[in-house]
C-alpha cells in the first residue's frame, strides 16, 4: 500500500542502488464535475477524468493548469456528459452506463468496474522531480499483449521494457529493451478481467511488469501523466478502442502489397536495371525496387548522384511503364553544406532543431555533419513534404523513412541532444527529452501528407521509427534484423504485437539485414513473407546477396513459386488491408485475438492468422520438414492439398523445403487470381475458393483500383446457401470482374 508521501522504492531500479524519493498522491478531496470532465483535487495536484462515448476512460494530471487538448496521436473523440457523480465519505463513484469508476479518497485508489466486475485497479500515483509513476494491480499469471515493436515472445507479462526510439545495430535479443518504435499501449487479460491502457507521453517510458510481484509500474520521464483505459470486454474490443483513439491504418496503394526488393545499396542505374531485368527474365514478380542511401549525391537528401544515377529519369520511366515502382530512402539528417539548397533553405526559413539560445543542433549521420528538420511543427512538416517534388516529378509515389529515431552517430545516447528544443508552435516549445519518441511519427506524417498533395494518389511510406498513431501515415518495418533462424521466428511475435498496438501494416527484412543468409533460411523466410502485411527482401552492404536468384536453381525455383503465390493471394490480402483500415483490427492476428475463449491460443507466437481464417505456421528451424500446428475449434482445410482436419487439436504438419503449412477455416472464402509480374498487370478473373462444412454462410471481399483517392469500391458478397453459391456485387467501383467458383468440402 502506498499511503505515505515519502515512500522510497529502490527496488524499482534493479541494480541501481540510488534511493528515489517518490511523492505519492495519498488523498483526494473536492471531486467535482466541471464541463466535460471531473476534477479530482489531490494533495499534490489536480487529476482530471473524462469518459468518451465508446467507453474509453481518460485520466490526466497536470501540475499547473488543465491541458486536455489533443496530442500528435489521438483522434478527436466525443466526451460524454451523461454520467452521475456520487460523493460519499471516503469513496466517490462516477457511474456511466455499465461502468462504475470508484475513487477512493484516502489512500488514493481508482478502480473501474463494468457490469459489476472489476476491470482495472490503480493502486497509486506518484511523482519524483519531472517523473510520474503509475502503480497498477497485476497478476503474474495474466497475459499482456501489445507494447509495439519488442523482442521476445507474444506475452509481455513478467518483463520490463523501455520506450525510447533507438537505432539498435547489435543483434536484437530479449535484452534489447529499446527499439525503433515506441507505442505505450498494452492489453491485460486474466480470465474475465480485461482492460487496455495507452499512456500518451513521448518521453522515455518504462513499463515494469517484472520487478514487483503484484503490480505494474509505468514510469514516464517528463511531461504530463495522461493515460486512457480501454474498457472493452474482449481483446478485439480493446484493440478497436485503441484504433478509435489513435487512428486506423492508412490505406496504401495496391502495389505496396506486392513483392518488394531492396539492398543497401543498388549502387548505380545500371545495377538497378540489372536487378529489374533479372526479375523480368526469370519471371519473378516484383512491384517495387528500393534505392538505399547510395543513390544520393554524398548522402544529401532530395538529390541524385549525378555520376552513378545519371539518366535516372528515363530508367524510372521505363520501370514505371512496366508497372514497377521505385522507393528511395529519405533520412532526416540534412548535410550541413552551404550551397546545398535544402540546407540553405532550412537555415533561412528556420526549419532545423536548435539548442536553447538558438544555436543550430548538428549531429553526425551518413552525410557527415547534419542538421535536423523539426517535424513537431506543422509549417515545417509542410515544407518537408513539398521537398518531395524532386521525387514525384520522376513518377515516384513511395518513400522510405529511415534513421528517424533520430539516430545520431558518435553522440551520447546515439540521438539528438536532449536539451535541443522543438518549436511545436509560436507559443509552445518543448525539449527533445520530452518529445523524442514523436520525431519519427512527425517525419512520416510530413512525408505522407507531402506525397498525397503532390501526387493526389494513395502514398506509400515505410518507416523505421514511430509512436502511437504511426499507422495513420506509414507501414513499419522492424529495422536491422539478422539473417538468423532466431530472427526468422521472432518476426512473428514482433509483427503480431505491433498489430495489437494499432500497427496493422508491418513487416521485417525478409532474409535478414545483417549477416549472411543461407538458401534454406531465405526460402523459409520468403514463405513466411508471402503472408505478412508487408513483404520486402532487404540486406546490408557487405553481406551475401539475397535476391531470389542468388543461391542455387532450386532456391530460385522455390522462392519464385512463393513470390508468385503472393500475387495469387493479392486480391485477398488487399481486401484484408482495406477491412483493417475500416475496422481497426490488425490483418495479421495472433490466435488469441480470434479464439479468446480458448486459453491454448494465449501463448502461441509462431503461428498467425492472416485476415480472419487463414492460419499460417511457418517452418523456423533449419532442417525441419514438419512442425506442430494448433488448429482451434472448427473444420480446417490444408490450403495446398484441400485435406480436411477437425480443429481443437495439435497436428503435425509436413512441410518439405518447398512447402509451408497453411490452413483455411471452413465457412470462409479466398479470392484468388493468376499470378502476374506486378499489380498493374492483375487480371479481372477471380477464382473464389469457397471452404464449406455444409452449413450456410456468407463472406465477402472488397475490390477497388488500388491507387486513387476516389473512394470507389466494389463489395463482393458470397452467399453459400443450400449447397449453392451466389455472388452479389454492390458499391460504386464500375470495372467488371469474372468470377469462377471452386467449392472445397
Ligand atoms: C539503416 C537501415 C537499413 C539501411 C541502412 C542504410 O541501417 O535500417 O535498412 O539499409 O541504414 O541506409
Amino acid at each position: 500500500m502506498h499511503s505515505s508521501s515519502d515512500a522510497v522504492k529502490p527496488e524499482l531500479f534493479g541494480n541501481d542502488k540510488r534511493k528515489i524519493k517518490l511523492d505519492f498522491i495519498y488523498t483526494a478531496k473536492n471531486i467535482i464535475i466541471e464541463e466535460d470532465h471531473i476534477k479530482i483535487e489531490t494533495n499534490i495536484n489536480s487529476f482530471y477524468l473524462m469518459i468518451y462515448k465508446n467507453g474509453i476512460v481518460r485520466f490526466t494530471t497536470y501540475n499547473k493548469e488543465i491541458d486536455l487538448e489533443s496530442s500528435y496521436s489521438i483522434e478527436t473523440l466525443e466526451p460524454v456528459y451523461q454520467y452521475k457523480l456520487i460523493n460519499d465519505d471516503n469513496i466517490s463513484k462516477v457511474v456511466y452506463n455499465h461502468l462504475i469508476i470508484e475513487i477512493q479518497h484516502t489512500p488514493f485508489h481508482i478502480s473501474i468496474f463494468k457490469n459489476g466486475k472489476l476491470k482495472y485497479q490503480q493502486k497509486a500515483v506518484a511523482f519524483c522531480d519531472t517523473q510520474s509513476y503509475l502503480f497498477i494491480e497485476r497478476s503474474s499469471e495474466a497475459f499482456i499483449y501489445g507494447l509495439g515493436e519488442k523482442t521476445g515472445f507474444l506475452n509481455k507479462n513478467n518483463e520490463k521494457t523501455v520506450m525510447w526510439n533507438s537505432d539498435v545495430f547489435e543483434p536484437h535479443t530479449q535484452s534489447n529493451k529499446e527499439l525503433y518504435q515506441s507505442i505505450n499501449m498494452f492489453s491485460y487479460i486474466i480470465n474475465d478481467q480485461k482492460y487496455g491502457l495507452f499512456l500518451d507521453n513521448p518521453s522515455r517510458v518504462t513499463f515494469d511488469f517484472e520487478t514487483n510481484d503484484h503490480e505494474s509500474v509505468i514510469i514516464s520521464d517528463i511531461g504530463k501523466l495522461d493515460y486512457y483505459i480501454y474498457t472493452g470486454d474482449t481483446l478485439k474490443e480493446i484493440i478497436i478502442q485503441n484504433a478509435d483513439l489513435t487512428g486506423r491504418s492508412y490505406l496504401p496503394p495496391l502495389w505496396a502489397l506486392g513483392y518488394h526488393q531492396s539492398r543497401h545499396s543498388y549502387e548505380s542505374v545500371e545495377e538497378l536495371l540489372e536487378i529489374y531485368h533479372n526479375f523480368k527474365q526469370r519471371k519473378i514478380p516484383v512491384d517495387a525496387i528500393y534505392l538505399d542511401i547510395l543513390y544520393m549525391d554524398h548522402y544529401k537528401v532530395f538529390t541524385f548522384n549525378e555520376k552513378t544515377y545519371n539518366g535516372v529519369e528515363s530508367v524510372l520511366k521505363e520501370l514505371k511503364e512496366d508497372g514497377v515502382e521505385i522507393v528511395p530512402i529519405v533520412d532526416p539528417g540534412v548535410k550541413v553544406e552551404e550551397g546545398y539548397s535544402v540546407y540553405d533553405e532550412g537555415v533561412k526559413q528556420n526549419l532545423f532543431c536548435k539548442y536553447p539560445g538558438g544555436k543550430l543542433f548538428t549531429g553526425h549521420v551518413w552525410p557527415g555533419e547534419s542538421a535536423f528538420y523539426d517535424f513537431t511543427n506543422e509549417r515545417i512538416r509542410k515544407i518537408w513534404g513539398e521537398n518531395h517534388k524532386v521525387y514525384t516529378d520522376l513518377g515516384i509515389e513511395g518513400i522510405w523513412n529511415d534513421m528517424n529515431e533520430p539516430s545520431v552517430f558518435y553522440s551520447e545516447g546515439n540521438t539528438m541532444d536532449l536539451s535541443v528544443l522543438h518549436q511545436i508552435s509560436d507559443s509552445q516549445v518543448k525539449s527533445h527529452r520530452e518529445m523524442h519518441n514523436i520525431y519519427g511519427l512527425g517525419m512520416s506524417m510530413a512525408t505522407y501528407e507531402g506525397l498525397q498533395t503532390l501526387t493526389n494518389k494513395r502514398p506509400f511510406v515505410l518507416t523505421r521509427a514511430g509512436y502511437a498513431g504511426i499507422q495513420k501515415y506509414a507501414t513499419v518495418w522492424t529495422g536491422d534484423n539478422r539473417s538468423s533462424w532466431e530472427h526468422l521466428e521472432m518476426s512473428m511475435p514482433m509483427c503480431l504485437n505491433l498489430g495489437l498496438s494499432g500497427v496493422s501494416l508491418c513487416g521485417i527484412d525478409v532474409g535478414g539485414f545483417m549477416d549472411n543468409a543461407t538458401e534454406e533460411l531465405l526460402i523459409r523466410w520468403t514463405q513466411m513473407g508471402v503472408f505478412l502485411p508487408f513483404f520486402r527482401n532487404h540486406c546490408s552492404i557487405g553481406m551475401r546477396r539475397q535476391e531470389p536468384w542468388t543461391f542455387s536453381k532450386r532456391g530460385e525455383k522455390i522462392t519464385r513459386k512463393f513470390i508468385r503465390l503472393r500475387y495469387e493471394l493479392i486480391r485477398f490480402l488487399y481486401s484484408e488491408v482495406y477491412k483493417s483500415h475500416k475496422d481497426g483490427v490488425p490483418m495479421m492476428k495472433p490466435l488469441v485475438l480470434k479464439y479468446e475463449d480458448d486459453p491454448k491460443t494465449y501463448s502461441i507466437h509462431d503461428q498467425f492468422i492472416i485476415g480472419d481464417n487463414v492460419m499460417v505456421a511457418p517452418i523456423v528451424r533449419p532442417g525441419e520438414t514438419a512442425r506442430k500446428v494448433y488448429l482451434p475449434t472448427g473444420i480446417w482445410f490444408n490450403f495446398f492439398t484441400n485435406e480436411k482436419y477437425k480443429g481443437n487439436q495439435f497436428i503435425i504438419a509436413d512441410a518439405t523445403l518447398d512447402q509451408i503449412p497453411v490452413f483455411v477455416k471452413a465457412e470462409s472464402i479466398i479470392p484468388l487470381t493468376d499470378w502476374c509480374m506486378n499489380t498493374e498487370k492483375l487480371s479481372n478473373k477471380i477464382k473464389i475458393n469457397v471452404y464449406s462444412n455444409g452449413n450456410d454462410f456468407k463472406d465477402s471481399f472488397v475490390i477497388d483500383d488500388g491507387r486513387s483517392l476516389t473512394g470507389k469500391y466494389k463489395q463482393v458478397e458470397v452467399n453459400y446457401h443450400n449447397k449453392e453459391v451466389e455472388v452479389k456485387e454492390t458499391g460504386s467501383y464500375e470495372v467488371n470482374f469474372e468470377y469462377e467458383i471452386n467449392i472445397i468440402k
Side-chain angles (χ1 to χ4, degrees), residues 167 169 180 263-264 292-293 329 331 366 400 402-403 464 477 479-480 509 513 536 538-540:
D167 178 1
F169 182 67
Y180 314 89
R263 180 174 174 82
H264 170 17
D292 206 323
I293 48 175
I329 196 168
D331 292 345
W366 301 120
W400 171 18
D402 188 25
M403 307 292 281
R464 196 170 72 174
W477 103 102
D480 296 347
D509 284 349
F513 178 70
R536 181 182 76 150
H538 179 52
C539 176
S540 172

